[in-house]
Amino acid sequence: MAQPLVKKDDDRDDEVDYSPFLGIEKGAVLQEARVFNDPQLDPRRCSQVITKLLYLLNQGETFTKVEATEVFFAVTKLFQSRDMGLRRMVYVIIKELSPSADEVIIVTSSLMKDMTSKTDMYRANAIRVLCRITDGTLLTQIERYLKQAIVDKNPVVASAALVSGIHLLQTNREIVKRWSNEVQEAVQSRAALVQFHALALLHQIRQNDRLAVNKLVSSLTRGSVRSPLAQCLLIRYTSQVIQESTNDTQTGDRPFYDFLEGCLRHKAEMVIFEAARAITELNGVTSRELTPAITVLQLFLSSSKPVLRFAAVRTLNKVAMSHPTAVTNCNIDMESLISDQNRSIATLAITTLLKTGNESSVDRLMKQITNFMSDIADEFKIVVVDAIRSLCLKFPLKHRSLMNFLSNILREEGGFEYKKAIVDSIVILIRDIPEAKESGLLHLCEFIEDCEFTYLSTQILHFLGIEGPKTSDPSKYIRYIYNRVHLENATVRAGAVSTLAKFGAMVDGLKPRIFVLLRRCLFDNDDEVRDRATLYLNTLGGDGAVVETDEGVKEFLFGSLDVPLVNLENSLKNYDPSEKAFDINSVPKDVKTQPLAEKKATSKKPTGLGAPPPGPPSTVDAYEKLLSSIPEFASFGKLFKSSAPVELTEAETEYAVNVVKHIFDGHVVFQYNCSNTIPEQLLENVTVIVDASEAEEFAEVDSKPLRQLPYDSPGQTFVAFEKPEGVSAVGKFSNMLRFIVKEVDPSTGEAEDDGVEDEYQLEDLELVAADYMLKVGVSNFRNAWESMGVDFEHVDEYGLGPRDSLAEAVNAVINLLGMQPCEGTEVVPPNSRSHTCLLSGVYIGNVKVLVRLQFGLDGPKDVAMKLAVRSEDETVSDAIHEIVASG
Amino acid sequence: MSGFCLSGNSCPAVKNILILDSEGKRVAVKYYSDEWPTNSAKLAFEKSLFGRTLKSNARTEAEITIFDSNIVIYKFVQDLHFFITGGDDENELLLATVLQGLFDAIALRLRNTIDKREALENLDVIFLCIDEVVDQGRYLKQMQMLLQERWQSKTWMLQQHYPNRQ
């Protein structure tokens, strides 16, 4: 007896969460499946084992190919048993295992025997299994039996054969088509389901033959269909025929409309609804044709069944888009649905009402909706917001209450998409309804006072800059905008500075006050904010003189930049600082930038021209100076990249050491920054002994010891390695600090003469692929991406496994690659299920690299990633993939 | 599920049938559509659907919602949650009929005591019912006609399975 079942009898009363499958294991069940091979089959036991196998599959367990094959072969033995219950389970598990073509042979004969059995249940199920696992060749062998089965007097057998036919039609169309006569006979069957399945199959066989479908419909609509299901199908086919034939018979009555209308009086709700829906979806339906359908749908609105109410309100909602007046009769019933327990129904009712409502009912409606908004999901709210926007555009006079509603819900809790929908709606209303402008702008101002979404804040600030100066009293917005400069992150602050400047440029009266505010921004701790403030102050004439701002300046500051940023960047790089000022008109305006070769040349040029090298931050300059002052390292060429310092000791130890990795084309230099924290000691001849046995491609070429390391006066020691040129060799280095320690007399500060040699273990240092990547941003990723071209593109997909969050996965990949995130794509909005991140960088050898990462949540935690790399060199594109694949 | 294909709206199709327990864990599920290709995609769908419908009262009448552009009809009985999913242009009433068909079949076989324990102990019955109601996404509904015959064999089977049960 199986373990769980024994346990059941003892425990079932005590355990609340009892399950017969508690502690079930795949391995054990597969072992148990050996009972299928017993010469004396125990049907009950075998059934239990099959149930367990099915349970495992159902819980998402997968069998390996070998396991599945083994189980399948064992199961085939069970055809020996005559037990009916067991046979049913055998059929089910064979379908679940979906054996491969060469395995199918094993069961074919058993199934064919069952197919001709006297027992109806065997016949029906054997047909389903066979058709499920069979291929074309076998099908011709069993075709004869299938045709017989279609007209079998037992409806279950006939249905099984017909449904199998529907599936087979996808793969073996020609064979199934030959069964037309039998299927046609089955359409006349008395059994409701046989008729349903036969009609479905017959239609699918003929669906490409318009005339045949027409004939089928016209013969059946005369009333030989009894099954409601089949009647539903017939309605669908009929409306297809009507759809296709309207062009032919423009005049007179629509063919078959009488049939559809007749179906509205059918006994079955399913049929009535199908017919009503078909009528509402007719091409160019007239209101006379609509009326009877609307009437039955209206009755459904007050049904006790949620499904029926839902179906009706959903259909009416669609009708309201094209024929709002036809639906107004239902408004009273619809209003009672606003309080429907089922929120899907309530939302549909509301949005329908918003489409059909007249001006006088708006206020009442808004009151009802306000109560309702708090307990529906965000996606429903967005639907409501969209409906309100269109209502407001329809009745501009009602803008006050509608705008109030929008601003109220804007203040409540909600996700980004929802808030964005509201803000977008308000913006549209401000644009289209002049009277709504002032109140709308104030609502937006209030919103950014407490807005957690940087994107929305900057959008609103930008919009304020355009619309605000045109209002009657622009000064009242200044406070809101300037508050942002105090309270927000750098992105929003920069946006606010620009908005302030726009007010200053457009409204001369405000200029002095704006200048005061902008001058305060000059002390911001963010470069961009300061730069913007400086630029605006200088161009707008912030030297105190209140002058009217020149049109040219306005155009320069706030007009649209009509050159691609990449082109501008290249032109600026090429620009030779001389007497002649840079002329923006010289920048090429077509998006296709110069060929790659030229671009490469420009990036190498600057040193020769005496211009500062493009973009390296000041620390790199300092490092470069330091390294080039050491004669041993001078021959290494140009410094490619210096890493941030990596700590090699814990905080607050005797000696604090961190290391900076300097990458040259063919060398690596480790700069160990050491400091001595013990006042009683003087360290001499300090070196770091590096063991590079785990970094095969590196060979130590030089080291530069530190002569003295007194207390509290940091010094550096260097170790240089040679590595293959231009290659991103990686490895692990273990470090040992070696020195001679001398006692210091604290009173005199004199060191003793004799020292003791000592060692101090440091942490390991790793050189990773990211060390060979320079973070270099691009201003317009899209343009850069396009201009890079697909020549050396490499795209692949990776599964990142379970992660805490999408954001965590994104950061992990960014850190792994060590590249510069572009356009703020490193920030993942909360609750998003997918994210695209853009990265750019320069790889060792001065190769530009662009990366597009697309992340998606695959299941609750698993993150999948698509990595597309474009670069100027194919090997580099591959190298990036290598980094990700091994990281 | 290579043969699965929704050819327009000509033939009704079911995308999945789910029976979950009161914590959203699987009792029995069956997917007919490859809209959810991996087990984790399926679990994610089940989890969010379960969370969405948890608070509604679907005990007396089947309830309905639109979820991820699919129509889902659901009904709760004791600690079991039944769901059926179809495309969003499907006839809602037809899907409800399928759910009711499945439900009736299970109720009959389990002699109207439908709860999680009973369902797990008779999981074979549940699997058979699902298998009989829908064939690869097509509404099949065999059971009512085979009932008589099967009922007898089932009763016999039940007694064999669980001799201690009254």
Side-chain angles (χ1 to χ4, degrees):
Chain A
M1 191 64 168
Q3 269 303 315
L5 288 175
V6 175
K7 206 174 161 217
K8 176 192 72 179
D9 295 325
D10 312 333
D11 286 358
R12 65 172 294 173
D13 294 328
D14 330 326
E15 253 183 74
V16 188
D17 204 20
Y18 160 77
S19 156
F21 300 101
L22 210 65
I24 189 169
E25 263 186 288
K26 182 170 91 168
V29 179
L30 289 174
Q31 289 283 323
E32 275 188 73
R34 296 199 174 150
V35 298
F36 298 163
N37 295 318
D38 283 355
Q40 287 297 312
L41 283 172
D42 178 352
R44 180 171 53 89
R45 180 86 198 278
C46 292
S47 275
Q48 283 168 4
V49 176
I50 293 183
T51 308
K52 285 185 193 170
L53 288 166
L54 288 172
Y55 174 82
L56 286 174
L57 287 170
N58 218 265
Q59 296 295 319
E61 188 80 66
T62 47
F63 293 166
T64 63
K65 184 87 186 76
V66 177
E67 287 167 345
T69 308
E70 255 171 41
V71 171
F72 174 71
F73 280 123
V75 163
T76 57
K77 304 267 171 48
L78 299 179
F79 276 102
Q80 286 165 22
S81 167
R82 297 191 165 280
D83 185 277
M84 213 183 262
L86 176 59
R87 185 67 59 88
R88 286 289 291 115
M89 296 306 283
V90 170
Y91 293 137
V92 174
I93 188 121
I94 289 179
K95 281 194 277 189
E96 284 298 323
L97 291 171
S98 44
S100 61
D102 48 333
E103 296 167 350
V104 168
I105 310 291
I106 311 292
V107 280
T108 311
S109 60
S110 305
L111 286 171
M112 278 168 71
K113 210 174 114 207
D114 282 358
M115 227 171 105
T116 51
S117 147
K118 284 201 173 57
T119 316
D120 293 336
M121 191 276 284
Y122 285 179
R123 284 212 304 284
N125 283 295
I127 288 171
R128 287 176 60 198
V129 178
L130 250 179
C131 291
R132 173 75 181 273
I133 63 179
T134 192
D135 58 5
T137 47
L138 188 64
L139 195 58
T140 44
Q141 285 180 49
I142 59 170
E143 194 185 351
R144 188 161 56 92
Y145 303 112
L146 288 173
K147 280 187 182 175
Q148 267 173 33
I150 288 173
V151 288
D152 196 293
K153 65 178 189 310
N154 184 306
V156 178
V157 180
S159 273
L162 288 163
V163 170
S164 300
I166 296 175
H167 296 307
L168 289 171
L169 199 64
Q170 319 290 340
T171 47
N172 295 285
R173 192 168 184 87
E174 290 312 309
I175 296 178
V176 181
K177 266 173 115 168
R178 296 202 289 256
W179 309 346
S180 282
N181 287 337
E182 285 79 10
V183 179
Q184 204 145 25
E185 195 180 327
V187 172
Q188 305 303 326
S189 164
R190 289 177 168 280
L193 274 161
V194 176
Q195 193 171 46
F196 167 58
H197 292 133
L199 182 55
L201 180 55
L202 192 62
H203 177 259
Q204 288 204 6
I205 291 175
R206 295 184 176 172
Q207 64 182 356
N208 296 329
D209 181 352
R210 226 177 90 185
L211 223 65
V213 175
N214 216 326
K215 224 171 95 187
L216 175 72
V217 167
S218 41
S219 74
L220 288 177
T221 46
R222 279 185 220 116
S224 55
V225 175
R226 275 172 302 273
S227 139
L229 284 165
Q231 189 82 356
C232 283
L233 284 186
L234 186 57
I235 291 169
R236 286 186 196 183
Y237 304 152
T238 308
S239 55
Q240 281 169 16
V241 170
I242 296 176
Q243 227 74 296
E244 282 158 8
S245 59
T246 30
N247 294 343
D248 307 342
T249 52
Q250 275 297 347
T251 54
D253 281 349
R254 210 186 279 270
F256 300 117
Y257 175 80
D258 291 342
F259 165 72
L260 292 182
E261 203 202 345
C263 288
L264 295 174
R265 293 182 291 274
H266 198 276
K267 286 194 302 294
E269 285 162 342
M270 194 198 302
V271 177
I272 302 174
F273 173 67
E274 186 76 41
R277 195 171 71 159
I279 292 177
T280 62
E281 286 171 1
L282 287 175
N283 261 347
V285 65
T286 64
S287 53
R288 189 175 57 85
E289 286 170 325
L290 263 179
T291 313
I294 301 291
T295 312
V296 294
L297 289 174
Q298 188 177 1
L299 285 176
F300 285 171
L301 286 180
S302 45
S303 160
S304 65
K305 293 181 192 158
V307 175
L308 208 50
R309 294 199 299 274
F310 176 90
V313 76
R314 195 159 79 110
T315 309
L316 289 171
N317 189 299
K318 278 186 203 146
V319 177
M321 292 186 201
S322 50
H323 298 82
T325 46
V327 187
T328 40
N329 284 342
C330 312
N331 277 1
I332 294 172
D333 304 83
M334 207 73 89
E335 272 178 40
S336 61
L337 288 184
I338 294 180
S339 52
D340 200 298
Q341 289 234 313
N342 184 318
R343 293 287 121 187
S344 305
I345 296 176
T347 312
L348 285 166
I350 290 233
T351 46
T352 314
L353 282 169
L354 290 175
K355 283 169 198 153
T356 61
N358 51 28
E359 199 154 357
S360 59
S361 64
V362 167
D363 289 317
R364 189 164 42 88
L365 213 52
M366 297 317 293
K367 215 176 210 169
Q368 278 173 298
I369 296 176
T370 313
N371 302 328
F372 155 94
M373 286 299 270
S374 56
D375 51 30
I376 58 172
D378 267 13
E379 55 181 4
F380 287 149
K381 289 180 182 168
I382 293 173
V383 175
V384 174
V385 168
D386 288 345
I388 288 184
R389 184 186 58 219
S390 29
L391 183 70
C392 192
L393 292 175
K394 203 162 108 194
F395 303 122
L397 286 178
K398 286 289 167 195
H399 72 84
R400 198 173 303 276
S401 65
L402 292 171
M403 192 64 102
N404 271 335
F405 175 80
L406 287 177
S407 77
N408 281 335
I409 57 174
L410 192 53
R411 270 184 234 126
E412 276 154 27
E413 286 294 303
F416 174 73
E417 291 297 331
Y418 173 45
K419 289 285 163 88
K420 184 169 179 295
I422 303 172
V423 169
D424 287 349
S425 295
I426 294 182
V427 166
I428 290 174
L429 295 183
I430 291 173
R431 274 200 193 134
D432 292 4
I433 306 171
E435 301 81 39
K437 184 190 267 184
E438 304 249 331
S439 68
L441 285 177
L442 276 177
H443 290 315
L444 290 179
C445 283
E446 274 163 30
F447 174 60
I448 54 171
E449 294 273 75
D450 186 25
C451 170
E452 55 187 308
F453 306 107
T454 299
Y455 174 84
L456 289 180
S457 290
T458 49
Q459 294 290 306
I460 291 173
L461 283 169
H462 178 76
F463 185 70
L464 274 175
I466 297 169
E467 294 294 336
K470 298 182 206 157
T471 54
S472 57
D473 182 13
S475 62
K476 67 181 170 193
Y477 303 105
I478 302 294
R479 180 172 61 86
Y480 294 103
I481 300 165
Y482 188 64
N483 278 346
R484 298 302 96 216
V485 179
H486 284 301
L487 304 167
E488 289 282 358
N489 59 40
T491 313
V492 179
R493 289 204 304 275
V497 166
S498 294
T499 307
L500 282 176
K502 276 181 204 162
F503 274 81
M506 312 278 276
V507 189
D508 290 330
L510 285 175
K511 255 192 193 131
R513 291 157 65 188
I514 296 281
F515 287 151
V516 171
L517 297 177
L518 283 179
R519 270 191 214 105
R520 287 187 200 161
C521 300
L522 291 175
F523 303 103
D524 197 281
N525 54 19
D526 184 83
D527 297 352
E528 176 71 18
V529 180
R530 284 197 308 273
D531 286 356
R532 285 194 188 196
T534 313
L535 171 72
Y536 291 132
L537 277 171
N538 287 331
T539 47
L540 296 178
D543 46 7
V546 181
V547 287
E548 194 166 319
T549 308
D550 183 32
E551 272 309 311
V553 171
K554 274 188 205 165
E555 180 56 34
F556 166 64
L557 287 180
F558 307 118
S560 58
L561 188 64
D562 56 354
V563 288
L565 285 176
V566 173
N567 297 2
L568 180 60
E569 184 189 353
N570 279 321
S571 301
L572 282 170
K573 274 184 190 162
N574 286 334
Y575 171 60
D576 185 1
S578 60
E579 302 293 292
K580 213 173 132 227
F582 181 76
D583 181 10
I584 196 159
N585 294 324
S586 68
V587 180
K589 289 191 179 165
D590 59 337
V591 182
K592 283 213 179 90
T593 48
Q594 304 104 310
L596 294 177
E598 196 181 327
K599 233 197 293 180
K600 256 186 202 162
T602 60
S603 62
K604 279 177 190 158
K605 235 187 289 178
T607 36
L609 289 171
S618 53
T619 47
V620 174
D621 278 351
Y623 282 138
E624 201 165 14
K625 259 191 205 135
L626 178 70
L627 289 171
S628 56
S629 67
I630 301 167
E632 290 93 320
F633 304 149
S635 61
F636 292 172
K638 188 167 156 39
L639 177 63
F640 175 72
K641 182 188 179 180
S642 299
S643 74
V646 182
E647 297 294 335
L648 295 181
T649 51
E650 309 269 15
E652 294 171 33
T653 46
E654 299 100 301
Y655 315 111
V657 179
N658 65 38
V659 65
V660 177
K661 299 174 266 186
H662 300 291
I663 312 287
F664 293 87
D665 203 33
H667 296 86
V668 177
V669 175
F670 296 140
Q671 173 189 340
Y672 295 92
N673 299 314
C674 314
S675 62
N676 174 7
T677 60
I678 306 173
E680 295 85 3
Q681 283 188 356
L682 169 72
L683 306 186
E684 278 186 0
N685 209 7
V686 182
T687 52
V688 176
I689 309 300
V690 182
D691 176 8
S693 55
E694 283 180 75
E696 289 159 7
E697 292 174 90
F698 296 87
E700 188 172 333
V701 288
D702 214 337
S703 71
K704 196 174 181 307
L706 179 63
R707 234 167 46 79
Q708 268 197 337
L709 183 62
Y711 164 68
D712 206 21
S713 142
Q716 297 103 19
T717 168
F718 298 86
V719 182
F721 286 87
E722 197 169 42
K723 72 169 190 63
E725 211 154 294
V727 174
S728 58
V730 296
K732 197 173 183 182
F733 302 84
S734 53
N735 307 297
M736 178 80 79
L737 193 67
R738 184 175 290 171
F739 47 82
I740 295 166
V741 56
K742 289 184 175 174
E743 294 288 343
V744 175
D745 187 338
S747 54
T748 58
E750 298 270 80
E752 291 176 20
D753 289 343
D754 297 345
V756 186
E757 191 158 314
D758 202 354
E759 284 181 348
Y760 186 79
Q761 183 67 49
L762 302 174
E763 281 173 32
D764 291 349
L765 163 69
E766 269 192 275
L767 204 56
V768 295
D771 289 326
Y772 296 99
M773 181 68 78
L774 212 53
K775 282 190 177 187
V776 175
V778 292
S779 60
N780 186 331
F781 187 88
R782 216 188 126 77
N783 284 350
W785 181 260
E786 296 298 329
S787 64
M788 189 73 88
V790 293
D791 299 349
F792 301 120
E793 188 177 61
H794 185 155
V795 184
D796 215 336
E797 288 178 22
Y798 300 88
L800 302 182
R803 296 279 175 168
D804 286 345
S805 68
L806 209 52
E808 190 249 313
V810 172
N811 280 331
V813 177
I814 293 176
N815 289 336
L816 182 66
L817 291 175
M819 296 177 73
Q820 176 69 42
C822 299
E823 299 172 13
T825 51
E826 76 273 33
V827 182
V828 183
N831 296 329
S832 54
R833 296 197 53 78
S834 64
H835 185 70
T836 300
C837 182
L838 310 172
L839 302 175
S840 80
V842 170
Y843 200 63
I844 186 155
N846 267 330
V847 182
K848 246 193 196 171
V849 185
L850 298 173
V851 168
R852 189 160 66 192
L853 298 162
Q854 283 161 300
F855 295 85
L857 275 180
D858 181 10
K861 287 265 181 248
D862 282 356
V863 177
M865 176 179 78
K866 187 175 171 190
L867 170 67
V869 182
R870 288 188 181 184
S871 75
E872 294 162 347
D873 187 338
E874 190 167 13
T875 55
V876 173
S877 298
D878 293 343
I880 305 295
H881 275 273
E882 195 83 15
I883 295 171
V884 173
S886 57
Chain B
M1 204 66 40
S2 58
F4 188 87
C5 165
L6 292 168
S7 48
N9 62 347
S10 55
C11 191
V14 174
K15 290 190 179 178
N16 65 37
I17 291 177
L18 313 174
I19 304 176
L20 307 178
D21 71 7
S22 53
E23 287 161 17
K25 294 206 186 74
R26 279 181 187 173
V27 174
V29 298
K30 181 82 191 156
Y31 286 80
Y32 306 100
S33 155
D34 42 15
E35 201 168 304
W36 303 273
T38 61
N39 189 45
S40 48
K42 289 175 181 149
L43 285 171
F45 175 79
E46 287 159 30
K47 188 172 173 232
S48 52
L49 178 59
F50 180 82
R52 172 75 75 79
T53 54
L54 188 58
K55 273 186 259 167
S56 50
N57 177 21
R59 300 204 172 261
T60 43
E61 290 284 353
E63 281 286 348
I64 181 166
T65 188
I66 289 196
F67 185 71
D68 285 353
S69 314
N70 284 314
I71 291 185
V72 181
I73 305 206
Y74 52 100
K75 187 168 173 138
F76 305 157
V77 179
Q78 303 289 351
D79 48 1
L80 286 181
H81 295 205
F82 291 76
F83 300 89
I84 187 160
T85 309
D88 78 338
D89 57 351
E90 203 46 83
N91 183 331
E92 293 88 342
L93 304 178
L94 212 145
L95 284 175
T97 311
V98 181
L99 182 66
Q100 192 60 39
L102 172 72
F103 192 76
D104 290 346
I106 292 176
L108 199 60
R109 303 268 178 84
L110 298 185
R111 302 192 205 175
N112 284 323
T113 40
I114 301 185
D115 58 34
K116 182 185 172 189
R117 175 186 285 186
E118 202 71 19
L120 282 176
E121 279 180 9
N122 298 291
L123 199 62
D124 50 345
V125 173
I126 307 280
F127 283 139
L128 288 180
C129 285
I130 294 178
D131 179 62
E132 286 167 358
V133 169
V134 176
D135 181 284
Q136 296 180 59
R138 306 292 179 195
Y139 186 26
L140 188 65
K141 199 185 171 189
Q142 301 185 306
M143 75 286 303
Q144 281 172 353
M145 284 147 282
L146 277 182
L147 222 50
Q148 216 48 40
E149 165 194 4
R150 205 79 58 71
W151 180 233
Q152 285 154 0
S153 78
K154 205 76 228 173
T155 320
W156 174 82
M157 260 181 73
L158 285 174
Q159 283 161 353
Q160 294 285 307
H161 268 262
Y162 312 110
N164 296 341
R165 199 167 64 186
Q166 294 307 305

